[in-house]
Amino acid sequence: MALASTTKLCIVFLLTCIARTGSVEDMSYQTLFIEGMKKIYDMQENRSPLSPSSLKVSPAQLRLFQDSIDPYRILTGSPGPRAKPGLGAVVGGFNVSDTCYNDTQMIGPSATLVQLWALKMIDAGGKPPSDILNGNQGWFGSYDECLSVTSDKFEYGQKPPHFNGKYCIVSVPVSILNIPLPNANLGLCLPDSCSEADAVALTNAALETIEPGKFSFNGHCKKKVLEFDDKAVGAVILCGFILAMMIVGTVYDVIVVRGVLRTWSRVDTALPSTLATTTFGPESNEKTKLISSDQNSTEVKDEPKELGRMSNILVAFSVYTNGAKLLNTSVPAGSLTALNGIRFLSMTWVILGHTYSTGMNFVHTFLLVDNVSTFWPQMANRWTFQAIMNALVSVDTFFALSGLLVSYLFMREMDKTKGKMNWAMFYFHRFWRLTPPYMLVLFVEVTLTRYFNDGPFWPEGGFERDFCEDTWWTNLLYINNLVKTDKSCFTWAWYLANDMQFFVLSPLMLVPLFYSKVIGMITCLAFLTGTFIATGVVSTKYDLPVSTFIPSEKYFEYYYIKPWTRMGPYIVGIMAGYLLYRSKLKYNMHWLLNLLGWAVATTLACLVLYGLYEPLRGNETLSTEVSALYNTVHRSVWGACVCWVIFSCANGSGGFVNTLLSWGGFVPLSRLTYCAYLVHPILQSLVYLSLRQQFRMSDLTMITYFLAFLMMAYAVAFVVSLAFESPMMGLEKAIFKRGQKK
């Protein structure tokens, strides 16, 4: 429809509710609202209330007022077309239910009598804003004002019908000068007797009076209160049980274990002395040595000796013991301390990137950002913004660290045991370390988060499609990046699936490396070559772009989440971990070689990070072959640069970089990275979808959101680790008697 019709749609819709009182030219939203404000002003000034009849305006006055604020007149210099009278008959032709129709008919007369509940319903509805030409098509009105409306009271001696306000959103077709634009989301405040079908019918009645043939087909009405279902009750019971165990375990630990029985015996709380098979990524605590010297094994003084399996199970839930281990900043001698800083800073980078991308993801569904069409082109023109647009390589940092740690620890354990490995525990410990907190967070997110808030953007059906009923098992088996990817649950868990799959395959490279450097390196290079070939073929076949910011329906599905295209950095990490093992962390590097290594690593990292500046600005189109080459090698190159930093710092050649990355404050933060990775997208969705109005992206706004998300992620991660992660590790120790001195 034309711009004038677009602007008048909301006013005409309101007039469909008051068709019994006269024609469209008799009154308008603006007139009613201004009269109502005048009435309120008179009451506040202790003046005598004006009678409703004295507030009437003439048609000529109304036209003058409407024309003075009409955007069409402002833009074109001439008044826009007026809607036709007789809307009552039009509404009747769109199958509005009798109750809804009767209730809406009371809004107009009540508004003319300046009853506040009716004015609030009119005021709460959405109206066309400015900046429509730049994509601002979210006309949401006021959700809270609408839900605060209750007509079950008397004002000025008038008896209204008995109903409350109900907030609905309908999709409205928009076009300017016959150029179609994305549909607008229009917020409506209706009586709670109206259904979603009624909301669409009323909207179509308004559209019919403006431009016949334009229809809305989608509408959704918000529920004021959501009832707890069986899944939510189950989640509450589970969380309550864990909370009870934490309370009992803490009380038992503090009073019995550390108090009454202190003089009886003492305990060694070191974690298991066998190999720490947990790799180093967002999904694991840092383990830079064998678990016998693990930096997570905080020595808590005055702990009693083993009191039995049941006692150990209770202490596994102790907030006192687990909190002391998480917050301890000391590390054993010989640890790869630079990993703590890399890990935390990389997770900070992930959260920063998701601060932008999560908000952008909701643009298409909810029109959450009102300046998206102008903000992103401005940001793309800044070369510094490439660090955010290319934040995807932060995940490759974790892949490289995972490969490096599993290789380094595997070699040390095999050397210690003379080539013997408990393969059952190798895999079980890994699965047990990751899965319980992962599944528990997923369970809470699926079942409870939809009750946390409300609002015009709030998904009443939860954040996951169909409560993950058909896909949760793919997450449990770590195959969610391969199976049912079109219905993915806990979307960001694609990383966990890839890393677990890499871990399962890692012995195929680790065992040859341990027994023969040549054969092992050939095996690793063969895997790396296979990854390069697979990536090149996939990228060429589907003509994939070099970034998610270049539109492509197949980039994520066929390239971004698949193990055969993402394993490169992990393989590079395995080879780097082997070199660290062979060097014994005592490699004396000549200063020229060290300087050259830093120069090459820095140059390559900057090329990966900022080399897409022109393509992402839209000033250059890369050929299919060049795009395939970049997709094939850039992640492995980035992983190699990260491994160089670790190798140099571990061998004493890192200088101030090692000093910075080895800061003690990073130690507890690095332990919380796995849980921070699990929860931060949930927190971002909670915040964004709780908004009452669209927000405008700007540097200051996004910095504020980022810092808030960072603090929230690690605060919640601390709680989740105490409740879900640390107790599971303690249970493993108690059940399998791991880590006990013999």
Side-chain angles (χ1 to χ4, degrees):
M1 54 185 152
L3 180 59
S5 300
T6 302
T7 307
K8 292 178 180 295
L9 170 62
C10 301
I11 297 176
V12 174
F13 169 79
L14 296 169
L15 295 176
T16 64
C17 302
I18 55 177
R20 289 180 179 175
T21 63
S23 70
V24 175
E25 297 182 349
D26 290 336
M27 60 189 65
S28 73
Y29 154 74
Q30 290 93 344
T31 303
L32 295 173
F33 184 69
I34 289 177
E35 289 178 356
M37 294 302 101
K38 182 179 178 182
K39 180 68 175 179
I40 295 172
Y41 175 77
D42 289 338
M43 296 174 64
Q44 290 174 343
E45 293 294 323
N46 296 319
R47 301 174 182 175
S48 299
L50 300 176
S51 64
S53 60
S54 66
L55 294 175
K56 294 292 186 182
V57 295
S58 67
Q61 291 174 316
L62 176 57
R63 286 195 197 91
L64 179 62
F65 174 75
Q66 287 178 317
D67 290 342
S68 68
I69 63 173
D70 185 5
Y72 186 89
R73 182 185 183 91
I74 295 172
L75 290 174
T76 65
S78 60
R82 301 189 181 280
K84 302 174 184 178
L87 293 175
V90 175
V91 172
F94 280 89
N95 297 323
V96 179
S97 65
D98 292 340
T99 306
C100 176
Y101 180 79
N102 292 332
D103 288 344
T104 54
Q105 291 299 296
M106 295 301 300
I107 299 175
S110 299
T112 61
L113 297 175
V114 200
Q115 295 194 32
L116 296 184
W117 69 266
L119 291 175
K120 283 185 176 182
M121 292 196 74
I122 296 173
D123 184 42
K127 295 90 185 175
S130 60
D131 214 25
I132 295 176
L133 294 175
N134 285 326
N136 185 9
Q137 278 121 355
W139 313 342
F140 295 103
S142 177
Y143 173 86
D144 294 298
E145 183 182 29
C146 180
L147 294 189
S148 70
V149 171
T150 175
S151 66
D152 192 15
K153 58 185 176 182
F154 294 87
E155 295 174 350
Y156 319 125
Q158 303 297 320
K159 183 178 179 180
H162 301 279
F163 58 76
N164 298 319
K166 184 176 187 177
Y167 183 86
C168 302
I169 296 178
V170 294
S171 178
V172 178
V174 180
S175 63
I176 296 179
L177 299 178
N178 296 322
I179 301 175
L181 298 174
N183 286 358
N185 283 345
L186 174 65
L188 304 177
C189 188
L190 301 173
D192 57 5
S193 58
C194 296
S195 65
E196 293 180 354
D198 291 330
V200 174
L202 288 170
T203 303
N204 286 333
L207 289 169
E208 181 68 16
T209 66
I210 298 172
E211 186 173 355
K214 295 288 186 179
F215 296 104
S216 171
F217 297 98
N218 299 314
H220 176 66
C221 295
K222 298 290 184 176
K223 297 179 181 178
K224 194 168 185 178
V225 179
L226 297 177
E227 296 182 359
F228 264 43
D229 55 19
D230 294 340
K231 294 183 287 292
V233 172
V236 170
I237 293 175
L238 176 61
C239 291
F241 172 76
I242 293 176
L243 178 61
M245 288 296 297
M246 293 171 65
I247 295 174
V248 172
T250 303
V251 172
Y252 179 83
D253 184 25
V254 173
I255 296 179
V256 178
V257 177
R258 300 175 186 277
V260 177
L261 301 181
R262 177 178 299 177
T263 58
W264 293 5
S265 57
R266 310 179 73 84
V267 71
D268 178 8
T269 60
L271 293 179
S273 58
T274 55
L275 173 64
T277 57
T278 302
T279 61
F280 187 94
E283 76 286 356
S284 61
N285 290 335
E286 179 185 353
K287 293 180 173 61
T288 60
K289 296 175 69 71
L290 297 182
I291 297 226
S292 58
S293 59
D294 192 321
Q295 65 184 40
N296 282 338
S297 58
T298 305
E299 295 293 339
V300 182
K301 295 181 179 180
D302 297 328
E303 289 193 1
K305 206 166 180 86
E306 182 189 1
L307 301 174
R309 179 167 296 179
M310 183 56 65
S311 296
N312 288 334
I313 290 176
L314 290 176
V315 173
F317 288 87
S318 170
V319 174
Y320 182 90
T321 295
N322 293 332
K325 292 178 180 180
L326 286 173
L327 297 177
N328 181 51
T329 59
S330 63
V331 294
S335 297
L336 304 178
T337 53
L339 296 179
N340 296 314
I342 293 175
R343 194 155 175 256
F344 171 72
L345 295 176
S346 295
M347 182 50 57
T348 300
W349 194 9
V350 170
I351 295 174
L352 175 61
H354 283 169
T355 299
Y356 285 88
S357 63
T358 302
M360 286 295 298
N361 288 339
F362 295 136
V363 168
H364 303 291
T365 307
F366 304 105
L367 300 177
L368 192 60
V369 181
D370 65 4
N371 66 328
V372 63
S373 63
T374 57
F375 177 78
W376 278 103
Q378 294 173 1
M379 294 300 101
N381 284 328
R382 297 183 186 175
W383 69 269
T384 52
F385 197 70
Q386 297 297 303
I388 295 176
M389 298 184 77
N390 285 330
L392 303 175
V393 295
S394 60
V395 178
D396 297 292
T397 299
F398 286 113
F399 281 142
L401 297 180
S402 293
L404 183 147
L405 260 296
V406 71
S407 176
Y408 179 68
L409 296 175
F410 180 90
M411 298 302 164
R412 295 195 59 177
E413 179 66 11
M414 290 285 280
D415 186 51
K416 177 181 177 181
T417 61
K418 295 180 172 49
K420 296 180 180 179
M421 175 62 63
N422 185 339
W423 292 106
M425 290 306 301
F426 179 84
Y427 287 112
F428 175 80
H429 178 73
R430 167 73 173 181
F431 183 85
W432 183 260
R433 165 66 180 81
L434 301 183
T435 307
Y438 174 22
M439 289 294 105
L440 288 170
V441 170
L442 186 152
F443 185 42
V444 171
E445 188 249 1
V446 167
T447 58
L448 292 182
T449 51
R450 68 193 189 107
Y451 302 100
F452 287 179
N453 213 326
D454 57 13
F457 311 111
W458 191 255
E460 295 170 346
F463 294 164
E464 303 292 348
R465 183 187 306 179
D466 299 325
F467 303 102
C468 298
E469 290 180 353
D470 297 329
T471 55
W472 65 269
W473 60 272
T474 65
N475 296 79
L476 178 63
L477 299 179
Y478 294 93
I479 56 174
N480 49 292
N481 62 332
L482 301 174
V483 179
K484 294 183 178 291
T485 56
D486 59 327
K487 299 180 180 180
S488 60
C489 175
F490 220 68
T491 308
W492 58 100
W494 69 266
Y495 168 84
L496 302 180
N498 274 273
D499 201 71
M500 178 63 80
Q501 291 158 11
F502 300 161
F503 183 83
V504 171
L505 295 175
S506 63
L508 298 178
M509 292 172 278
L510 295 174
V511 173
L513 264 178
F514 177 76
Y515 288 106
S516 172
K517 179 175 70 173
V518 174
I519 296 177
M521 283 297 179
I522 291 175
T523 304
C524 290
L525 291 175
F527 269 88
L528 187 61
T529 302
T531 299
F532 284 170
I533 294 174
T535 306
V537 170
V538 169
S539 183
T540 302
K541 178 180 179 180
Y542 297 107
D543 193 17
L544 299 180
V546 291
S547 171
T548 56
F549 289 97
I550 300 176
S552 172
E553 297 179 355
K554 300 178 180 179
Y555 183 88
F556 186 83
E557 171 69 19
Y558 292 97
Y559 167 72
Y560 192 72
I561 64 174
K562 299 305 182 185
W564 45 83
T565 59
R566 299 304 301 268
M567 197 176 185
Y570 192 90
I571 299 170
V572 172
I574 285 179
M575 292 188 288
Y578 176 74
L579 294 178
L580 279 173
Y581 160 73
R582 291 294 298 266
S583 70
K584 307 298 183 184
L585 307 185
K586 298 178 181 179
Y587 184 77
N588 294 321
M589 197 181 313
H590 192 276
W591 69 270
L592 282 176
L593 179 60
N594 185 50
L595 182 62
L596 178 63
W598 280 100
V600 171
T602 303
T603 301
L604 292 177
C606 289
L607 287 175
V608 170
L609 202 57
Y610 299 101
L612 298 180
Y613 178 54
E614 292 299 331
L616 292 181
R617 292 177 64 197
N619 294 339
E620 181 180 345
T621 301
L622 299 179
S623 66
T624 300
E625 292 75 17
V626 173
S627 297
L629 177 62
Y630 182 85
N631 288 335
T632 298
V633 302
H634 82 281
R635 300 187 185 280
S636 298
V637 170
W638 179 266
C641 296
V642 172
C643 289
W644 164 260
V645 174
I646 299 171
F647 185 85
S648 180
C649 291
N651 286 284
S653 302
F656 76 95
V657 175
N658 184 51
T659 301
L660 172 64
L661 296 177
S662 300
W663 177 54
F666 287 140
V667 176
L669 293 173
S670 70
R671 296 191 184 109
L672 296 174
T673 301
Y674 175 41
C675 290
Y677 182 79
L678 291 177
V679 303
H680 81 272
I682 303 174
L683 298 174
Q684 290 174 340
S685 297
L686 287 173
V687 171
Y688 282 136
L689 296 179
S690 296
L691 295 176
R692 264 40 184 175
Q693 297 290 338
Q694 294 171 295
F695 78 97
R696 180 165 290 262
M697 280 188 167
S698 66
D699 290 335
L700 184 59
T701 300
M702 302 314 294
I703 290 172
T704 303
Y705 274 126
F706 160 64
L707 294 177
F709 289 145
L710 181 64
M711 297 295 292
M712 291 167 58
Y714 274 87
V716 175
F718 181 71
V719 176
V720 171
S721 182
L722 288 178
F724 296 162
E725 183 182 28
S726 297
M728 298 303 108
M729 298 301 293
L731 287 177
E732 182 193 15
K733 173 185 173 183
I735 294 172
F736 292 97
K737 301 287 186 179
R738 298 188 61 183
Q740 298 178 17
K741 292 184 178 181
K742 299 179 180 179

